[in-house]
Amino acid sequence: MDLTKWTVLSLIDSKFLRNLKLAVIFGNLGSEVIMVTLDDDVYAMGCNSSGCLGLGDTASALQPRKIESLSKKKIKGLAYGSGLHLLAFSESGELYTWGYNTYSQLGNGNTNHTLTPSLVGGVLAGKTVIQVGCGNHHCLALTSEGEVYAWGQNNGGQCGSGTTTGQSIPRRVTSGIGGHKVVAIACGQLTSMALLHDGELYGWGYNGNGELGIGNNNNQHNPVRVSNLHKAFVTQIVCGFAHCLALTDQGEMYAWGANSYGQLGTGYKTHHLSPVLVAPELGKVVEIAACHLSHISAAMLHDGKIFMWGHCRGHSIFSPSLTPYTHLDEVFACYSTPAVTWRTLQFRARQDTPLAETLRLAFNDESTGDLCFKVGGNSIWVHKAILKIRCQYYRAMFQHPWAEANQETVEIEQFSYPVYYCFLKYLYTDEVDLPVDEALGLLDLANAYCETELKSRCQHLIRQSVNIENVAVLFETGLKYEAQDLEEYCLRFAVHHLTAVVQTETFLKLEEATTKQFIVRVGRMGAFRY
């Protein structure tokens, strides 16, 4: 998956991104991120509302900053709440919390905000946490023994304690599910869901939109079995802001709850108090997705196709719509409002070298190259196949009876070594790495080889060197190579420094036709207005 589809990740160096193992993107604007690297270091970046980055302060971070207290702890998963509180659990099952804490959602027995991650003890001491979930201001934790613990805000009964009294520390949810092994949990804004090992599904908490799927809209302070699913074996449960999706072992998808944006995928916007089968005509579904901060839903079919529906970038999509994506996570990166992750992103360390890096390493590699360019006594090894694919000039050279077509070594005399090296490297990497003072030579080459994109890149590079002394000759260069962007930039610069420019030696040496064109065009730009 292209991680730069997430706006906050697009700001990070690509080398850093390639070293990631886990990431979770959160916040009311999708502008905060917690990341775990392959080296088991934990980093944070973003706005840092309520100290949610766990850095020990509330300062924003425009670049990744290390969370020392979580690094080397082998963090395995994370979850976030709407109030910007965070949970993280380790491979050994330890649970850490930090951030906003007005409703005791950190589970530490008080309401003080915490700027650094702290270990949650109490009844969880000695337990192995294997999954966590957050709603608006409440939390759930699932242990390896199949027990569910809840804490935080409880105004709708979302802690499953039988009351609406808030829970300042984790407390096991026992009513209804206490004698059963729970295998998965999920949180809506004010609701909680638990999937049992036998495929049964229970929900509790706020139910004003029917998000518990029990056939009515009464809040439930204890877990209640979801109706209309008694004959189905549920394998996955996810919650949106006020709706739920369930997936069965037969690949059927059910939805219930709020539907104002079409998030149930029924083709209309009527709420459903009980589960309803969604889009059976699509075929077998293998994975579903939703997020408690948004009203969007998504599903992957058995053939890998990704569908989405609900509140998609301001549009209400009432039926599943096919997307061009290959990962469910991409739906949330590109269409969710806010653009936050619905689960912890997990990355598999590549055992091979990525294509882009392979090409980069192949450039100027004598052991694999089949053609050598000699430029100023220096050798540059390349591959004919790559040159033919990337450059029209070389394609013509090798496919037609040019003298160079059958040579193993080609002498280049019209361009300097730095310019030609930069050009060939550009064909392998798409990068232009050349000192500004060599950029004119590269522009000459790009023009001769009909490389339109490179020509544009050269103009941008040359603009960095424009000054009063050389603006006239650079304008002339722009005319020579039909580099219109460079021409316009030089003229705009000259308009603001015209008195000094026309007195320079380079201006006085311009050919008469060029001088006339220069004067006419700066005049049109208002250089001679009084």
Side-chain angles (χ1 to χ4, degrees):
M1 183 178 63
D2 180 7
L3 293 183
T4 60
K5 289 181 178 178
W6 300 93
T7 302
V8 68
L9 294 183
S10 68
L11 305 173
I12 301 176
D13 177 72
S14 59
K15 184 177 180 180
F16 183 91
L17 292 179
R18 287 196 296 270
N19 194 44
L20 291 185
K21 179 170 62 176
L22 304 172
V24 62
I25 298 163
F26 57 99
N28 295 328
L29 298 175
S31 56
E32 279 114 348
V33 58
I34 304 291
M35 301 163 285
V36 183
T37 69
L38 294 172
D39 302 320
D40 199 32
D41 288 322
V42 184
Y43 290 84
M45 190 178 86
C47 294
N48 205 14
S49 303
S50 302
C52 62
L53 297 185
L55 296 167
D57 55 49
T58 56
S60 296
L62 294 178
Q63 294 295 326
R65 290 175 56 192
K66 184 183 287 190
I67 305 178
E68 298 290 351
S69 57
L70 285 183
S71 294
K72 309 304 181 185
K73 291 287 197 304
K74 298 187 181 301
I75 297 303
K76 187 177 181 180
L78 303 106
Y80 59 87
S82 303
L84 294 185
H85 65 282
L86 276 292
L87 277 65
F89 66 95
S90 66
E91 291 183 5
S92 62
E94 293 180 324
L95 179 64
Y96 299 85
T97 62
W98 67 97
Y100 189 73
N101 195 36
T102 296
Y103 299 95
S104 299
Q105 53 265 57
L106 300 186
N108 55 15
N110 59 57
T111 56
N112 300 323
H113 305 330
T114 302
L115 301 180
T116 56
S118 58
L119 183 66
V120 178
V123 294
L124 288 180
K127 299 288 185 179
T128 301
V129 174
I130 60 172
Q131 187 187 356
V132 290
C134 294
N136 189 24
H137 299 297
H138 79 286
C139 303
L140 296 181
L142 175 64
T143 71
S144 58
E145 297 171 321
E147 300 172 341
V148 177
Y149 291 82
W151 63 95
Q153 189 181 44
N154 195 31
N155 56 331
Q158 56 266 45
C159 287
S161 60
T163 71
T164 56
T165 303
Q167 282 287 135
S168 63
I169 57 175
R171 176 187 178 278
R172 186 181 174 190
V173 181
T174 55
S175 178
I177 63 173
H180 304 274
K181 183 175 182 178
V182 176
V183 295
I185 53 176
C187 292
Q189 277 287 288
L190 300 171
T191 57
S192 302
M193 305 295 295
L195 176 61
L196 307 189
H197 73 287
D198 58 5
E200 293 184 355
L201 189 62
Y202 283 76
W204 61 96
Y206 180 76
N207 194 35
N209 301 289
E211 45 264 77
L212 296 184
I214 58 176
N216 60 55
N217 57 4
N218 300 321
N219 295 351
Q220 299 296 318
H221 303 159
N222 289 306
V224 178
R225 190 177 180 187
V226 177
S227 60
N228 287 4
L229 289 176
H230 297 316
K231 295 182 180 180
F233 189 96
V234 178
T235 57
Q236 186 189 358
I237 175 67
V238 293
C239 296
F241 189 95
H243 76 287
C244 294
L245 302 177
L247 179 65
T248 74
D249 62 348
Q250 298 297 309
E252 295 175 326
M253 178 171 52
Y254 289 85
W256 60 93
N259 197 29
S260 300
Y261 299 96
Q263 57 265 50
L264 300 187
T266 56
Y268 47 84
K269 61 179 183 179
T270 302
H271 297 355
H272 275 275
L273 304 180
S274 299
V276 58
L277 184 63
V278 178
E281 69 278 4
L282 293 180
K284 187 175 182 179
V285 177
V286 296
E287 191 173 21
I288 53 178
C291 171
H292 71 88
L293 270 190
S294 65
H295 307 280
I296 193 172
S297 303
M300 175 185 283
L301 304 190
H302 69 284
D303 58 4
K305 292 179 180 177
I306 302 291
F307 285 79
M308 69 178 184
W309 60 98
H311 193 218
C312 304
R313 284 290 179 189
H315 299 278
S316 293
I317 309 299
F318 294 98
S319 298
S321 175
L322 182 63
T323 76
Y325 306 127
T326 56
H327 298 274
L328 285 171
D329 304 293
E330 293 176 288
V331 170
F332 292 82
C334 300
Y335 280 94
S336 177
T337 304
V340 293
T341 49
W342 67 281
R343 60 180 173 185
T344 301
L345 298 177
Q346 299 186 13
F347 314 107
R348 185 181 69 251
R350 294 191 62 146
Q351 301 302 315
D352 59 352
T353 305
L355 176 59
E357 186 63 20
T358 299
L359 288 175
R360 180 188 298 276
L361 294 173
F363 173 64
N364 202 22
D365 181 6
E366 183 177 356
S367 65
T368 61
D370 56 5
L371 177 64
C372 178
F373 285 104
K374 285 284 188 179
V375 190
N378 299 294
S379 299
I380 310 174
W381 287 91
V382 292
H383 307 75
K384 290 182 180 180
I386 293 177
L387 299 192
K388 286 192 292 185
I389 291 171
R390 290 281 286 153
C391 178
Q392 181 180 352
Y393 177 86
Y394 290 125
R395 193 176 308 124
M397 174 187 290
F398 299 126
Q399 291 180 348
H400 296 87
W402 290 20
E404 297 89 344
N406 297 313
Q407 296 177 3
E408 294 183 358
T409 302
V410 177
E411 295 281 347
I412 301 295
E413 298 179 351
Q414 64 269 46
F415 302 107
S416 69
Y417 172 73
V419 165
Y420 216 74
Y421 183 92
C422 175
F423 172 59
L424 293 174
K425 185 178 180 181
Y426 164 77
L427 296 180
Y428 280 75
T429 66
D430 265 340
E431 297 175 0
V432 176
D433 184 14
L434 191 70
V436 174
D437 56 1
E438 295 277 3
L440 285 176
L442 188 60
L443 177 62
D444 185 24
L445 185 153
N447 188 67
Y449 285 18
C450 301
E451 288 289 323
T452 304
E453 174 59 26
L454 180 59
K455 187 175 176 179
S456 176
R457 302 268 289 271
C458 289
Q459 293 179 69
H460 181 76
L461 188 61
I462 293 169
R463 282 165 50 176
Q464 300 176 31
S465 66
V466 172
N467 57 46
I468 290 173
E469 294 297 328
N470 67 14
V471 66
V473 72
L474 291 179
F475 169 73
E476 187 176 42
T477 299
L479 292 176
K480 177 182 177 181
Y481 295 117
E482 298 181 346
Q484 296 180 356
D485 289 346
L486 180 59
E487 290 176 38
E488 292 297 319
Y489 184 84
C490 290
L491 290 171
R492 288 196 301 271
F493 180 91
V495 165
H496 298 292
H497 307 278
L498 191 58
T499 300
V501 169
V502 298
Q503 298 179 63
T504 61
E505 184 176 348
T506 53
F507 179 81
L508 297 175
K509 289 182 178 181
L510 292 177
E511 293 184 0
E512 182 178 352
T514 303
T515 302
K516 287 182 178 179
Q517 186 172 166
F518 180 89
I519 296 298
V520 169
R521 291 176 67 177
V522 295
R524 289 173 181 169
M525 290 181 171
F528 305 118
R529 292 176 183 172
Y530 293 100

